[in-house]
Amino acid sequence: MIYTVTLNPSIDYIVEVSDFNLGSLNRMTRDLKLPGGKGINVSRVLKQLGYDSTALGFLGGFTGEFIQEWLSDEEINTNFTSIKGDTRINVKLKSDQETEINASGPIITNSEANDFLTVIEQLTSKDVVILSGNQPASLPDDFYQKIILKIKALGAEFVMDTTGQTLLDSLAFHPLLVKPNHHELAEMFHVTFSSVEEMIPYGKKLIEMGASYALVSMAGDGALFFTRDNVYQSTVPKGKVKNSVGAGDSMVAGFVGTLLKENDSQLAFKTGVATGSATAFSDDLAKKSEIENLISQVTISSINN
């Protein structure tokens, strides 16, 4: 079973304003409310691809009920830990430019945190856990490490889709996959990149430090894929970008689902790129038909250096 973990989910309230003017009355042309959070996005895209998963994390209040009902309607398995606080609402303003206003999230008590860790203890060695996104400030700094230690003790595998020191610290526990974008990769190693070639040594470092696979997304420039033996680069399909939210999560879903089913890392990479692109070209997350239409447009080449 694939499990996804979203420690700080949200309702994403998407508001479209044709010509936004700061300090003035603006009237929206369209609005949309969607369940948000990186792990939740992964579960929703996995479902589109035909793969079952169970979404884990913290939910509370009327906002948490909205997310739970939405996922139930999409027939996605859930086992969320209930909290007293309200799950947050993030505002995504789409106008001439895209602006995001993200809430910090609810306070999670020690008792609620321990309840979540009890859920993790139910894993088996056949499971893969996808850990996505940042954690609420009220959780201990080492909470992700506590989760990872329990996952490894049970013989399960994990994917790490976070940033910064949290991602670097996870490498010692040998994640199946890590997925920074090129900006996050630069920040982790305190460098800047002016070319794809400059990224390659640092992507390789992720493998040397413990990851089995590493994906580095580069927006319109495609993606890099690192294995223990090789480095690959992809093209990206052509299309109009409508949505920057969830594209990276969709890439993770496409990669992990395909890898576990087909045991073919290059096919998984290709599917991941197509899935991320399909979300970028959509108002919401990618649909199966959209993904299938784009896979043939993705080409993979080996980089020898």
Side-chain angles (χ1 to χ4, degrees):
M1 171 64 75
I2 301 173
Y3 291 86
T4 65
V5 172
T6 310
L7 297 180
N8 201 10
S10 66
I11 292 177
D12 285 349
Y13 184 35
I14 300 169
V15 178
E16 292 186 4
V17 179
S18 58
D19 185 18
F20 178 73
N21 292 301
L22 187 65
S24 301
L25 174 64
N26 295 271
R27 298 193 183 277
M28 66 181 69
T29 56
R30 188 174 74 123
D31 73 315
L32 184 65
K33 301 175 188 71
L34 299 169
K38 292 174 69 64
I40 288 172
N41 292 340
V42 173
S43 278
R44 293 184 65 209
V45 175
L46 283 169
K47 189 67 177 182
Q48 284 294 321
L49 290 166
Y51 306 124
D52 285 332
S53 70
T54 298
L56 309 177
F58 299 100
L59 286 183
F62 73 100
T63 44
E65 291 175 2
F66 173 91
I67 293 172
Q68 179 65 68
E69 290 173 3
W70 188 294
L71 298 181
S72 296
D73 288 344
E74 292 189 353
E75 299 182 342
I76 294 171
N77 302 318
T78 63
N79 190 8
F80 286 104
T81 299
S82 296
I83 59 174
K84 292 181 179 179
D86 290 345
T87 296
R88 63 183 177 155
I89 299 174
N90 294 337
V91 179
K92 315 292 183 180
L93 174 62
K94 295 180 181 292
S95 188
D96 298 332
Q97 293 181 320
E98 187 172 303
T99 302
E100 299 187 20
I101 305 173
N102 287 350
S104 58
I107 293 174
I108 296 171
T109 66
N110 289 336
S111 175
E112 291 164 349
N114 289 333
D115 287 345
F116 173 83
L117 292 175
T118 300
V119 174
I120 293 294
E121 290 170 357
Q122 300 170 16
L123 298 173
T124 73
S125 60
K126 297 180 181 180
D127 296 326
V128 175
V129 185
I130 301 175
L131 304 171
S132 302
N134 297 321
Q135 65 181 48
S138 58
L139 288 173
D141 291 341
D142 65 345
F143 194 71
Y144 261 136
Q145 186 171 340
K146 289 180 179 179
I147 298 172
I148 292 169
L149 287 171
K150 288 185 178 293
I151 292 170
K152 299 300 288 188
L154 294 165
E157 292 196 85
F158 74 100
V159 170
M160 202 70 182
D161 185 15
T162 58
T163 60
Q165 193 61 45
T166 302
L167 189 152
L168 287 172
D169 290 344
S170 75
L171 295 172
F173 301 97
H174 305 292
L176 176 65
L177 172 72
V178 294
K179 196 217 71 63
N181 63 37
H182 59 301
H183 298 301
E184 293 163 347
L185 182 66
E187 290 172 2
M188 275 191 292
F189 292 107
H190 308 289
V191 295
T192 58
F193 300 132
S194 58
S195 68
V196 170
E197 289 72 22
E198 291 178 358
M199 300 177 198
I200 292 173
Y202 295 94
K204 288 182 174 180
K205 277 183 179 290
L206 298 174
I207 304 299
E208 293 166 2
M209 294 172 70
S212 296
Y213 300 108
L215 288 170
V216 178
S217 53
M218 302 182 295
D221 294 323
L224 295 173
F225 176 47
F226 297 84
T227 72
R228 290 190 176 94
D229 302 318
N230 214 333
V231 182
Y232 301 91
Q233 184 173 3
S234 77
T235 61
V236 289
K238 294 181 179 180
K240 181 181 179 181
V241 175
K242 297 181 180 179
N243 173 33
S244 63
V245 177
D249 310 325
S250 300
M251 177 182 280
V252 170
F255 181 90
V256 174
T258 304
L259 181 69
L260 295 181
K261 181 181 179 183
E262 305 293 344
N263 195 29
D264 183 334
S265 63
Q266 289 188 54
L267 177 60
F269 177 37
K270 187 174 185 177
T271 305
V273 172
T275 307
S277 298
T279 287
F281 302 156
S282 306
D283 288 325
D284 189 13
L285 298 173
K287 299 294 188 290
K288 183 177 181 180
S289 59
E290 298 165 347
I291 298 165
E292 292 174 341
N293 288 338
L294 294 181
I295 287 178
S296 63
Q297 297 183 37
V298 179
T299 59
I300 306 297
S301 58
S302 176
I303 300 176
N304 296 310
N305 58 38

